[in-house]
């Protein structure tokens, strides 16, 4: 029976992973019950162990957790409330997930502040046209970096450029790993929103 549960279909999905992709609660619970091992029991209190092979996303590019989070089927999200997925995600979040989230949030806010300051202090000058009208244009490159403030702005511009390149590399790596269909159709991560946002920010500056 265990051998049958390890057989994969043409998409590389085992029966457990297929149940997760389809959001089949009954079938998923059935497979989870088979993976359940009671460690100790004292009256109504018991300690239970679960085999997380194929479930945890650690070293598994097509794990149950990854399938649920990237599935287009909204019913699959209901499986996150089932033991042991709920406890697994809670453990990941409390161990390092929230730290990663706070770090990314801080870096994003810092990146946005630097980008905004660079745009607000970009080198501008007035130009008088033939008709006597005044208009604001960008100073030539050779006249844009002379003072200490200009070089401070240059440092911020370099950070913005390298930050945008780094984000692009990360997004392309995700695109290659997940494939175009799963990446652009991912409603959890927002699909290619990061790439579009960065490109638009660079265009505005």
């Amino acid at each position: 029976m265990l051998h049958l549960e390890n057989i994969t279909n043409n998409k590389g999905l085992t029966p457990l992973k297929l149940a997760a992709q389809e959001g089949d609660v009954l079938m998923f619970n059935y497979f989870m019950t088979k993976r359940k091992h009671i460690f100790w029991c004292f009256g109504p209190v018991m300690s239970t162990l679960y085999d997380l092979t194929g479930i945890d996303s650690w070293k598994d590019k097509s794990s149950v957790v990854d399938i649920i989070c990237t599935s287009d089927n909204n019913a699959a999200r209901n499986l996150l409330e089932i033991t042991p997925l709920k406890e697994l995600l809670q453990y990941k979040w409390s161990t390092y997930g929230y730290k990663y989230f706070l770090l990314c949030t801080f870096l994003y806010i810092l990146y946005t502040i630097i980008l905004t300051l660079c745009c607000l202090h970009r080198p501008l000058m007035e130009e008088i046209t033939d008709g006597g009208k005044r208009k604001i244009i960008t100073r030539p490159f050779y006249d844009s970096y002379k003072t200490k403030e200009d070089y401070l702005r240059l440092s911020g511009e370099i950070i913005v450029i390298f930050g945008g390149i780094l984000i692009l590399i990360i997004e392309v790596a995700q695109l290659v790993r997940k494939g175009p269909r799963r990446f652009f159709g991912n409603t959890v991560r927002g699909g290619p929103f990061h790439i579009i946002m960065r490109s638009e920010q660079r265009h505005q500056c």
Side-chain angles (χ1 to χ4, degrees):
M1 186 66 178
L2 292 177
H3 174 70
L4 295 177
E5 293 180 5
N6 292 327
I7 295 177
T8 59
N9 60 10
N10 294 332
K11 295 182 179 180
L13 300 177
T14 61
L16 173 65
K17 294 181 179 180
L18 182 60
Q21 186 181 57
E22 297 297 326
D24 192 331
V25 178
L26 293 178
M27 186 59 67
F28 190 82
N29 267 324
Y30 169 75
F31 288 117
M32 286 296 96
T33 302
K34 297 194 64 176
R35 288 170 173 254
K36 180 179 179 180
H37 302 282
I38 299 177
F39 186 63
W40 57 264
C41 182
F42 185 76
V45 181
M46 66 177 61
S47 177
T48 307
L49 301 179
Y50 287 88
D51 181 10
L52 297 180
T53 303
I55 298 177
D56 194 4
S57 56
W58 182 257
K59 294 184 178 180
D60 191 349
K61 296 182 179 180
S62 60
S63 65
V64 170
V65 172
D66 189 66
I67 290 173
I68 293 175
C69 293
T70 58
S71 176
D72 296 331
N73 186 2
N74 292 329
R77 311 283 188 268
N78 298 328
L79 301 180
L80 296 178
E81 296 294 328
I82 297 178
T83 300
L85 289 183
K86 183 176 181 180
E87 289 77 6
L88 175 63
L89 293 179
Q90 181 63 36
Y91 174 77
K92 284 177 172 289
W93 173 257
S94 60
T95 304
Y96 58 83
Y98 81 96
K99 299 176 183 178
Y100 177 78
F101 173 78
L102 292 177
L103 177 62
C104 290
T105 302
F106 171 76
L107 293 177
Y108 174 77
I109 294 175
L110 181 63
Y111 181 88
T112 305
I113 292 175
I114 294 175
L115 174 64
T116 302
L117 291 176
C118 290
C119 292
L120 290 176
H121 294 86
R122 61 189 183 277
L124 300 175
M125 60 180 291
E126 285 189 355
E127 182 184 58
I128 301 177
T129 61
D130 295 337
K133 295 182 180 180
R134 294 184 177 181
K135 66 177 182 178
I136 304 298
I137 62 173
T138 303
R139 291 206 309 260
F141 179 79
Y142 61 83
D143 196 34
S144 298
Y145 302 99
K146 291 184 176 181
T147 65
K148 293 182 179 180
E149 290 77 9
D150 291 336
Y151 285 104
L152 183 61
R153 188 187 71 252
L154 175 62
S155 301
E157 292 171 349
I158 293 175
I159 294 176
V160 169
I161 292 175
F162 278 100
I165 294 174
L166 178 61
I167 293 173
L168 181 61
I169 292 175
I170 294 175
E171 294 298 324
V172 170
Q174 290 290 332
L175 173 62
V176 173
R177 175 176 175 267
K178 297 180 179 298
R181 183 175 180 181
R182 293 178 65 187
F183 179 81
F184 289 100
N186 193 336
T187 56
V188 176
R189 295 181 64 254
F193 174 72
H194 302 84
I195 297 179
I196 297 174
M197 182 176 61
R198 301 303 173 197
S199 301
E200 189 167 328
Q201 286 176 342
R202 289 195 294 270
H203 176 72
Q204 290 176 350
C205 286

